[in-house]
């Protein structure tokens, strides 16, 4: 990364992100803020940048290597651009426009008292930077020692949802009353708990693999992995404050899981004017199945193509302990607005050809993924739809989720690794 080129653009991008976040100057950000930013990045872009990586990018930690293109693309997308190239092109355009708008002759500068005061302020910059460095060192010294705290979670039942979880914690070493427990990856959904107490209970309405956190004085001091599994396939419709769960015996017949119009009517759900958001989950122990080497196959359909659901958007998610794979499917006429996430790689149809993810979803559609040494090939109905390399470190696969609106079904779902087949 050249200092006069991409490095300057990177600083512009970071400044833009800071202004969008509205958290104040990054000079005052703590470990808590960078962990929060990590989760916010993952939610918005599908890319997981660790808190440590973000601190390096913002210059909080010394790091000699330049950010990877994947990281730069994620930063640009978070700032509102398609990718890093588009962000840089926009900066070049703005620079060119500025040059064009400059007057032909620039008058010689007139040094007034106010201008002299300006240069005196410039002379103070090194002193301010030195003061900031001392402040940063002091802030680091004031960080809490994680070993002074404890945090663990116990599920009330072994598997299934809803599922209550009892968190046991010790936060007496907190300097203030700012003690929070975060149930999921979304650090914004935090609950204030008394620092002099030891127990807090929460309800999980959706299955999944969660990284709960104990946050003390804006610092994440402890984390706890929490896995809410399912007994085979679980189907539900999103709703607030809790989802609507469908009975398994109503949905599973002849090894096919289907949510049809009759089932929706039984639960007083209508396809019009807007179809309900249906989710199918299968969370279970996959053994040593990892994200870098596996074969996955499933067959799905979404046979409701009316009204607001004319594009029949579907997503097939492979959920990992510390990562996510999201494969889009849609009607052939609607491939112009798709997004794909694959272990840190993020693509949109605005900047990549995702047209082969279009299909007649009123019919059974087969999706296959083959991943070897972090190189992935994705196939729709036997035709290669896309291939890519991803950079994120391998992590364990823990489940599958199918998303669609209205009515749909799934069958013949399985993983294979080293000759071992796991059928869901």
């Amino acid at each position: 990364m050249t200092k006069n080129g991409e490095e300057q653009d990177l600083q512009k991008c970071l400044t833009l992100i800071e202004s969008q976040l509205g958290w104040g100057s990054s000079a005052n950000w703590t470990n808590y803020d960078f962990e929060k930013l990590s989760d916010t990045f993952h939610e918005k872009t599908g890319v997981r940048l660790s808190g440590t990586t973000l601190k390096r990018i913002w210059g909080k930690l010394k790091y000699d290597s330049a950010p990877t293109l994947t990281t730069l693309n994620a930063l640009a997308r978070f700032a509102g651009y398609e990718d890093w190239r588009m962000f840089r092109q926009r900066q070049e355009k703005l620079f060119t426009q500025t040059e064009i708008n400059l007057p032909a002759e620039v008058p010689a500068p007139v040094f007034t008292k106010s201008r002299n005061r300006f240069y005196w302020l410039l002379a103070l910059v090194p002193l301010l930077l030195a003061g900031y460095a001392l402040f940063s060192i002091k802030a680091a010294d004031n960080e809490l020692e994680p070993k002074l705290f404890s945090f663990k979670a116990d599920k009330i039942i072994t598997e299934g949802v809803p599922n209550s979880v009892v968190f046991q914690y010790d936060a007496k070493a907190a300097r203030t009353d700012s003690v929070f427990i975060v149930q999921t990856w979304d650090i914004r959904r935090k609950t204030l708990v008394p620092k002099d107490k030891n127990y807090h209970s929460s309800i999980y309405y959706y299955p999944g693999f969660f990284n709960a956190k104990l946050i003390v004085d804006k610092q994440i001091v402890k984390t706890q992995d929490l896995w809410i599994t399912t007994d085979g396939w679980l189907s539900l419709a999103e709703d607030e404050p809790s989802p609507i769960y469908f009975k398994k015996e109503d949905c599973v017949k002849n090894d096919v899981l289907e949510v049809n119009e009759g089932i929706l009517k039984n639960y007083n759900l209508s396809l019009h004017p807007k179809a309900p958001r249906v989710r199918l989950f299968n969370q279970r122990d996959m053994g040593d199945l990892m994200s870098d080497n596996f074969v996955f196959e499933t067959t799905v359909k979404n046979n409701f193509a009316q009204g607001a659901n004319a594009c029949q958007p579907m997503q097939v998610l492979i959920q990992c302990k510390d990562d996510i794979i999201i494969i889009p499917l849609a009607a052939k006429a609607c491939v112009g607005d798709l997004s794909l996430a694959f272990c840190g790689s993020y693509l949109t149809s605005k900047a990549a050809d995702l047209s082969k993810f279009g299909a007649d979803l009123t019919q059974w559609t087969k999706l296959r993924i083959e991943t070897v040494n972090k190189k992935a090939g994705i196939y729709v109905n036997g035709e290669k739809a896309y291939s890519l390399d991803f950079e994120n470190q391998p992590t364990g696969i823990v489940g599958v989720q199918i998303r669609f609106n209205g009515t749909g079904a799934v069958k013949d779902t399985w993983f294979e690794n080293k000759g071992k087949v796991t059928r869901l």
Side-chain angles (χ1 to χ4, degrees):
M1 178 176 289
T2 60
K3 187 170 184 178
N4 293 329
E6 282 191 295
E7 188 171 325
Q8 291 181 354
D9 286 340
L10 175 59
Q11 293 305 315
K12 294 176 184 177
C13 187
L14 299 184
T15 301
L16 179 58
I17 291 173
E18 288 182 35
S19 66
Q20 291 176 351
L21 290 171
W23 298 351
S25 172
S26 61
N28 300 320
W29 289 1
T30 64
N31 286 342
Y32 164 83
D33 295 303
F34 284 103
E35 293 296 335
K36 178 180 178 181
L37 181 57
S38 174
D39 291 329
T40 306
F41 250 92
H42 188 241
E43 178 186 13
K44 186 173 180 178
T45 69
V47 177
R48 173 67 72 183
L49 299 180
S50 68
T52 300
T53 297
L54 291 169
K55 284 192 283 187
R56 287 170 176 165
I57 294 170
W58 258 268
K60 299 290 186 178
L61 296 176
K62 185 177 180 181
Y63 193 60
D64 296 330
S65 299
T68 65
L69 181 59
T70 298
T71 298
L72 293 173
N73 284 336
L75 292 168
R77 284 196 297 273
F78 193 89
Y81 294 80
E82 291 183 13
D83 53 28
W84 180 245
R85 180 186 293 109
M86 294 299 294
F87 177 80
R88 294 207 71 201
Q89 289 177 353
R90 177 58 177 167
Q91 302 313 306
E92 291 174 0
K93 183 177 181 181
L94 290 175
F95 180 76
T96 302
Q97 288 176 344
T98 301
E99 284 188 321
I100 292 174
N101 292 330
L102 284 174
E105 295 183 3
V106 180
V110 178
F111 295 97
T112 61
K113 289 184 179 180
S114 61
R115 178 63 61 86
N116 287 333
R117 283 197 296 269
F118 172 75
Y119 284 109
W120 274 110
L121 289 175
L122 284 180
L124 292 175
V125 170
L127 295 176
L128 293 173
L129 291 175
Y132 168 69
L134 291 174
F135 174 81
S136 299
I137 294 173
K138 182 178 179 181
D141 291 339
N142 288 333
E143 288 188 358
L144 299 170
E145 180 58 55
K147 68 180 181 181
L148 299 176
F149 303 87
S150 65
F151 185 53
K152 69 176 184 178
D154 294 318
K155 292 185 291 185
I156 297 301
I157 58 177
T158 304
E159 65 183 6
V161 286
N163 199 334
S164 290
V165 175
V166 178
F167 293 100
Q168 185 176 350
Y169 67 96
D170 186 341
K172 293 183 178 63
R175 300 191 185 103
T176 70
D177 292 330
S178 178
V179 179
F180 293 89
I181 288 178
V182 182
Q183 284 185 231
T184 71
W185 57 267
D186 188 350
I187 207 165
R188 297 170 303 173
R189 299 178 183 177
K190 58 182 185 287
T191 301
L192 181 67
V193 295
K195 78 171 186 178
D196 57 344
K197 302 295 182 182
N198 298 107
Y199 295 93
H200 172 73
S201 297
S202 298
I203 298 179
Y204 285 74
Y205 291 105
Y206 295 88
F209 193 93
F210 307 99
N211 183 247
K213 301 174 179 66
L214 178 66
I215 300 176
V216 178
D217 298 337
K218 297 185 178 182
Q219 180 180 336
I220 298 175
V221 295
K222 292 289 182 181
T223 61
Q224 173 69 58
D225 288 338
L226 182 63
W227 194 5
I228 306 293
T229 58
T230 61
D231 178 15
W233 284 101
L234 167 72
S235 54
L236 58 84
E238 288 187 357
D239 200 8
E240 292 295 341
S242 63
I244 299 170
Y245 303 104
F246 303 133
K247 293 181 180 179
K248 183 182 295 187
E249 55 267 29
D250 293 337
C251 301
V252 179
K253 295 179 181 179
N254 300 321
D255 295 326
V256 175
L257 173 63
E258 181 177 14
V259 175
N260 55 38
E261 188 172 359
I263 291 173
L264 295 178
K265 286 183 178 179
N266 288 341
Y267 290 84
N268 295 320
L269 295 173
S270 175
L271 293 170
H272 301 284
K274 192 172 183 179
R277 297 161 59 90
V278 177
R279 305 289 179 258
L280 313 179
F281 293 88
N282 196 314
Q283 293 277 332
R284 52 171 291 182
D285 185 0
M286 303 284 183
D288 59 356
L289 188 64
M290 301 290 288
S291 58
D292 58 337
N293 285 284
F294 70 89
V295 176
F296 169 78
E297 195 169 288
T298 189
T299 304
V300 298
K301 68 177 177 179
N302 173 215
N303 47 9
F304 179 66
Q306 301 176 26
N309 203 54
C311 283
Q312 299 168 269
M314 291 190 76
Q315 290 180 324
V316 178
L317 288 75
I318 297 178
Q319 297 171 299
C320 308
K321 291 183 178 180
D322 299 304
D323 225 323
I324 191 71
I325 298 170
I326 305 176
I327 308 300
L329 294 169
K332 292 182 179 181
C334 301
V335 296
D337 189 22
L338 299 179
S339 299
L340 182 151
F342 206 113
C343 296
S345 296
Y346 184 82
L347 304 165
T348 72
S349 51
K350 305 299 182 184
D353 182 5
L354 303 182
S355 60
K356 293 183 180 178
F357 289 98
D360 180 3
L361 293 170
T362 61
Q363 305 298 316
W364 285 112
T365 300
K366 181 178 291 186
L367 173 68
R368 181 182 177 91
I369 302 172
E370 299 176 356
T371 301
V372 179
N373 297 329
K374 297 168 60 172
K375 298 180 181 294
I378 308 169
Y379 302 81
V380 177
N381 288 329
E383 182 180 3
K384 179 173 281 191
Y386 210 86
S387 59
L388 55 85
D389 297 347
F390 59 91
E391 297 184 6
N392 284 4
Q393 291 301 309
T395 184
I397 294 175
V398 295
V400 173
Q401 183 186 157
I402 315 292
R403 298 176 175 175
F404 57 87
N405 302 324
T407 60
V410 60
K411 67 177 182 178
D412 301 333
T413 304
W414 51 268
F415 286 94
E416 187 270 332
N417 175 251
K418 298 179 181 178
K420 179 182 177 182
V421 177
T422 303
R423 298 190 179 277
L424 304 185

